[in-house]
């Protein structure tokens, strides 16, 4: 006896892109665990890799040095705090962001691209994402300066002059070199203070 199996029809599945407002309502409603490492990138909720000890040390070093350097001239927005990018339906959580100073410390109004002086991603396992989707996302938003800290190679990639969905200038800084703070902020940071 032969059994005939019908071939399944190809069905086009339509994805539901989550809006920034929906995502933020989900966060407020407690949909995600308190310690969940997720961010919204172009309407998709993305799981973030857990940080390793080198990543954590680099972020801590950056936070310490940048906080001392900028003082009250700007605000160092630490890891885990998000930036709203409504035009791209995104709410990434960079590792470090330097924001224009506001006396209310952005209470009640999360920072947007226009508030950002510098955005930093520390890459240990996320280099492809940080140089790909996030680089384009930040350039589109007009983030004036973006640093990718490549822990494995011991370098900091500096992206400036955003235009036409990409950064027009790229510079690589290595141990022994200094990076000038952007946006008219005084001071410079030693690459080795970040990379170790």
């Amino acid at each position: 006896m032969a059994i005939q199996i019908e071939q399944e029809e190809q069905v086009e599945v339509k994805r539901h892109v989550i809006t920034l407002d929906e995502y933020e309502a989900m966060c407020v409603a407690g949909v995600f665990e308190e310690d969940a490492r997720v961010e919204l990138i172009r309407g998709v909720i993305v799981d973030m890799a857990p940080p390793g000890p080198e990543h954590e040390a680099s972020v801590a070093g950056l936070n310490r040095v940048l906080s001392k350097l900028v003082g009250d001239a700007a605000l160092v927005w630490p890891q885990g705090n998000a930036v709203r990018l409504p035009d791209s339906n995104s709410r990434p959580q960079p590792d470090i962001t330097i924001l224009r100073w506001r006396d209310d410390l952005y209470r009640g109004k999360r920072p947007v691209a226009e508030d950002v002086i510098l955005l930093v991603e520390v890459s240990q396992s996320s280099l492809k994402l940080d140089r790909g989707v996030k680089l384009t996302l930040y350039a589109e938003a007009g983030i004036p300066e973006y640093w990718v800290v490549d822990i494995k190679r011991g370098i900091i990639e500096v992206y400036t002059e955003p235009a036409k969905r990409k950064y027009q200038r790229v510079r690589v800084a290595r141990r022994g070199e200094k990076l000038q703070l952007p946006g008219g902020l005084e001071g410079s940071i030693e690459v080795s203070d970040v990379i170790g």
Side-chain angles (χ1 to χ4, degrees):
M1 177 174 163
I3 299 174
Q4 186 176 4
I5 300 174
E6 291 183 35
Q7 189 173 358
E8 289 185 32
E9 287 183 38
Q10 291 282 338
V11 178
E12 188 175 321
V13 177
K14 184 178 178 189
R15 286 193 205 191
H16 174 78
V17 175
I18 297 170
T19 68
L20 188 52
D21 290 339
E22 288 172 330
Y23 177 75
E24 289 178 339
M26 292 166 75
C27 291
V28 169
V31 170
F32 308 107
E33 295 290 326
E34 190 172 317
D35 61 348
R37 292 189 40 82
V38 296
E39 57 188 350
L40 184 69
I41 305 294
R42 297 197 189 283
V44 176
I45 298 171
V46 177
D47 286 318
M48 297 163 50
E54 290 298 317
H55 182 279
E56 291 171 331
S58 292
V59 172
L62 266 169
N63 193 19
R64 182 177 163 272
V65 171
L66 290 173
S67 294
K68 285 181 181 179
L69 287 172
V70 303
D72 290 336
L75 178 65
V76 177
W77 199 239
Q79 183 177 28
N81 287 357
V83 174
R84 294 182 96 246
L85 303 176
D87 291 344
S88 64
N89 209 25
S90 300
R91 197 178 103 175
Q93 294 182 17
D95 290 311
I96 295 282
T97 309
I98 297 180
L99 301 172
R100 297 186 195 298
W101 182 262
R102 275 191 19 195
D103 289 337
D104 68 352
L105 305 179
Y106 294 87
R107 280 188 180 87
K109 182 186 179 282
R110 187 166 274 114
V112 294
E114 294 78 23
D115 300 314
V116 176
I117 296 170
L118 170 67
L119 194 144
V120 183
E121 295 284 5
V122 175
S123 298
Q124 191 166 19
S125 61
S126 61
L127 194 56
K128 189 174 179 179
L129 177 66
D130 295 337
R131 278 192 188 144
V133 172
K134 286 192 172 180
L135 183 119
T136 304
L137 186 71
Y138 299 150
E140 284 175 357
I143 304 294
E145 190 156 330
Y146 173 45
W147 294 358
V148 176
V149 178
D150 183 342
I151 293 173
K152 289 180 184 174
R153 290 176 48 212
I155 62 171
I156 299 176
E157 299 170 0
V158 178
Y159 296 88
T160 57
E161 298 179 22
K164 299 179 184 176
R165 301 187 65 208
K166 63 181 188 174
Y167 285 95
Q168 304 303 306
R169 296 185 59 126
V170 182
R171 173 183 167 220
V172 175
R174 294 173 168 72
R175 284 183 182 92
E177 296 182 50
K178 291 183 179 185
L179 289 173
Q180 182 64 40
L181 292 182
L185 295 172
E186 293 182 15
S188 60
I189 186 167
E190 296 269 355
V191 173
S192 55
D193 286 342
V194 179
I195 301 291

